[in-house]
Structure formats: structure tokens, C-alpha cells
């Protein structure tokens, strides 16, 4: 064996470990971002449902007033 192989492997192992850690850190951050995006979409959906219900109630109230206008004597 060449005398250079041992130092090369001695340097290669930490480099691989550092790059693996960096890769795992990036995956963890991407996972966190995706979870935040999912939560945001859930909140958007809840907001949409609430706004739709509010508009439906306003339309019902308007239609009710069209069918039963207040009588003024």
C-alpha cells in the first residue's frame, strides 16, 4: 500500500461526515418549510370557508329583505 492512502482516508472520512451532516440539515430545513406551508394552506382553507359562510349569510339576509320588505305605515 502506498503511504499516501492512510492520510487520504483520514481526510476523506471527516469530509464525508461533514457533507452528510450538511445534507441532513438541508433536508430537516426543507421538511420544516413544508410543514409550515401545509399549515398555511390549512389556515387559508379555514379562512376561505369562514368568508364563504359570511357571504352566504349576507346573501340570505339580502334575499330575505327582498321577499319581506319592512312595511311603513
Amino acid at each position: 500500500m502506498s503511504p499516501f492512502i492512510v492520510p487520504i482516508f483520514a481526510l476523506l472520512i471527516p469530509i464525508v461526515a461533514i457533507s452528510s451532516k450538511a445534507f441532513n440539515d438541508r433536508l430537516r430545513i426543507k421538511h420544516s418549510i413544508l410543514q409550515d406551508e401545509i399549515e398555511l394552506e390549512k389556515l387559508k382553507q379555514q379562512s376561505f370557508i369562514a368568508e364563504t359562510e359570511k357571504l352566504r349569510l349576507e346573501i340570505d339576509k339580502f334575499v330575505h329583505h327582498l321577499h319581506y320588505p319592512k312595511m311603513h305605515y
Side-chain angles (χ1 to χ4, degrees):
M1 289 180 71
S2 172
F4 297 110
I5 291 181
V6 172
I8 290 173
F9 278 117
L11 292 174
L12 187 61
I13 291 172
I15 291 171
V16 169
I18 290 169
S19 64
S20 295
K21 182 181 181 322
F23 179 75
N24 286 337
D25 289 345
R26 277 189 301 239
L27 282 179
R28 201 172 300 114
I29 290 169
K30 285 181 182 180
H31 178 68
S32 176
I33 290 170
L34 284 174
Q35 283 182 322
D36 291 344
E37 288 176 353
I38 289 170
E39 184 63 28
L40 178 61
E41 287 300 319
K42 287 179 182 178
L43 292 173
K44 285 181 182 179
Q45 184 179 17
Q46 289 173 353
S47 175
F48 175 79
I49 290 169
E51 186 66 24
T52 302
E53 181 63 17
K54 177 183 170 191
L55 290 172
R56 188 190 65 74
L57 291 172
E58 289 177 9
I59 290 171
D60 287 348
K61 182 178 175 183
F62 180 74
V63 169
H64 178 75
H65 286 298
L66 285 177
H67 288 142
Y68 305 104
K70 292 183 179 178
M71 298 289 183
H72 297 286
Y73 293 103

